[in-house]
Amino acid sequence: MSLPPPIVLSFAASDPSGGAGVQADILTLAGMGCHPLTVLTALTVQDTTGVEDIFVMDAEWVADQARTVLQDMPVQAFKIGMLGSVEIIAAIAEIISDYPDIPVVLDPVLASGRGDTFANEEIIAAMREMLFHQATIITPNSIEARRLALDDEDDQEILNLKQSADRLLQWGCSYVLIKGAHENTPKVVNILYDVNGMVRSDSWQRLPGSFHGSGCTLSSAIAASLARGMSIADSVYEAQEFTWLTLKAGFRPGMGQHIPDRFFWAEDEKPEEDSGSTGG
């Protein structure tokens, strides 16, 4: 009997379109050679055009889901996505505090790609207070980074990305990866920071169209790389490369956004006579 692959536990909401949320985490983690464990934080009514409704799980159900699988299987990384309530944040914070040596990737999902709001100010404050100091890395886009970094005293202040990263690091996380897809730059520039400043900066070609689930893919890919024992800097680069390739191979199955193809690499393994192409 072979040894199990690295195991990653994802806390996330369900997305019935399969583009984002826990479905995106499952596909990404499996695509990168990990075994995914999942804890649902919410159920959503959504498709590739946007989110219509959200049912937030009871915090005790979230805790029971996690405790049950954690008592059965060892995990090599945690990935945290959409949270839904302050009570769920508190439950997750208590759970991961029992595993201080396990890396934590926190994707602070504040809104959908269409702009549907997932987090109010109470949820943001609870994330800062209970989760940031336990996170190995948080992965906000530039809009989320600026919103997360503002406090009550300067909630109208315009922060640049370096200032935003500095603020976020003050709340105790080890690293911040700010994603630049929403910035007006020729290429997408993603910058990894720690308390000493910029760790690495990576530029990626902008691809046409908009994508549903790119942030979930990137954060899950980082968790997968960390679970396989890679350094944070190498994990961030490998995850970006994997994510960009999923977007390049992305498809538009419905009337809304494109969905990343997390199994783009499987197309390359098909014989030419069967697939008619080399994939990608």
Side-chain angles (χ1 to χ4, degrees), residues 244-262:
W244 188 86
L245 290 170
T246 71
L247 301 181
K248 183 182 178 184
F251 54 95
R252 189 172 183 243
M255 296 181 290
Q257 294 177 300
H258 291 70
I259 288 178
D261 182 358
R262 289 96 178 184

Side-chain angles (χ1 to χ4, degrees), residues 2-278:
S2 61
L3 294 173
I7 298 174
V8 178
L9 173 57
S10 166
F11 296 90
S14 174
D15 171 10
S17 79
V22 73
Q23 287 86 346
D25 296 344
I26 291 169
L27 290 168
T28 301
L29 293 169
M32 294 191 70
C34 292
H35 178 68
L37 307 181
T38 59
V39 171
L40 289 182
T41 58
L43 304 175
T44 67
V45 178
Q46 67 174 303
D47 56 19
T48 59
T49 66
V51 179
E52 302 303 326
D53 206 355
I54 301 173
F55 176 80
V56 177
M57 301 292 288
D58 183 89
E60 289 188 11
W61 273 75
V62 172
D64 287 346
Q65 290 176 79
R67 294 289 188 196
T68 299
V69 292
L70 286 168
Q71 288 168 8
D72 182 43
M73 289 174 275
V75 302
Q76 281 71 55
F78 292 111
K79 186 265 177 174
I80 303 173
M82 198 190 94
L83 294 159
S85 73
V86 172
E87 292 77 15
I88 288 175
I89 292 171
I92 293 174
E94 182 178 353
I95 288 165
I96 64 175
S97 69
D98 292 337
Y99 303 87
D101 297 326
I102 304 300
V104 176
V105 179
L106 172 60
D107 182 17
V109 182
L110 305 186
S112 72
R114 187 176 68 175
D116 310 289
T117 300
F118 292 153
N120 58 26
E121 295 308 312
E122 288 185 354
I123 288 176
I124 290 174
M127 277 196 286
R128 291 173 183 155
E129 180 181 347
M130 292 186 270
L131 289 179
F132 277 23
H133 70 281
Q134 298 195 72
T136 307
I137 181 172
I138 63 173
T139 61
N141 62 42
S142 57
I143 296 172
E144 292 167 334
R146 291 185 174 98
R147 184 180 174 193
L148 288 165
L150 294 176
D151 59 33
D152 293 338
E153 296 178 359
D154 59 5
D155 59 4
Q156 300 301 314
E157 184 177 344
I158 304 299
L159 301 175
N160 64 38
L161 296 184
K162 175 62 166 59
Q163 290 170 327
S164 298
D166 289 342
R167 290 269 185 89
L168 298 177
L169 289 160
Q170 287 174 8
W171 277 297
C173 56
S174 299
Y175 295 90
V176 176
L177 175 66
I178 298 185
K179 301 170 292 189
H182 295 283
E183 298 298 289
N184 186 23
T185 53
K187 291 188 174 183
V188 176
V189 181
N190 302 324
I191 304 176
L192 179 66
Y193 297 93
D194 68 7
V195 291
N196 296 313
M198 186 179 73
V199 176
R200 68 175 306 135
S201 175
D202 299 293
S203 300
W204 302 91
Q205 176 190 348
R206 286 190 179 273
L207 297 169
S210 62
F211 295 90
H212 180 52
S214 57
C216 301
T217 303
L218 178 59
S219 54
S220 292
I222 294 172
S225 296
L226 290 173
R228 287 162 40 215
M230 297 179 67
S231 69
I232 189 73
D234 289 344
S235 293
V236 165
Y237 181 80
E238 179 169 285
Q240 289 180 83
E241 183 177 43
F242 177 88
T243 301
W244 188 86
L245 290 170
T246 71
L247 301 181
K248 183 182 178 184
F251 54 95
R252 189 172 183 243
M255 296 181 290
Q257 294 177 300
H258 291 70
I259 288 178
D261 182 358
R262 289 96 178 184
F263 285 87
F264 65 89
W265 49 266
E267 294 295 319
D268 294 331
E269 295 178 0
K270 291 180 180 178
E272 268 194 60
E273 59 269 25
D274 291 339
S275 65
S277 71
T278 58

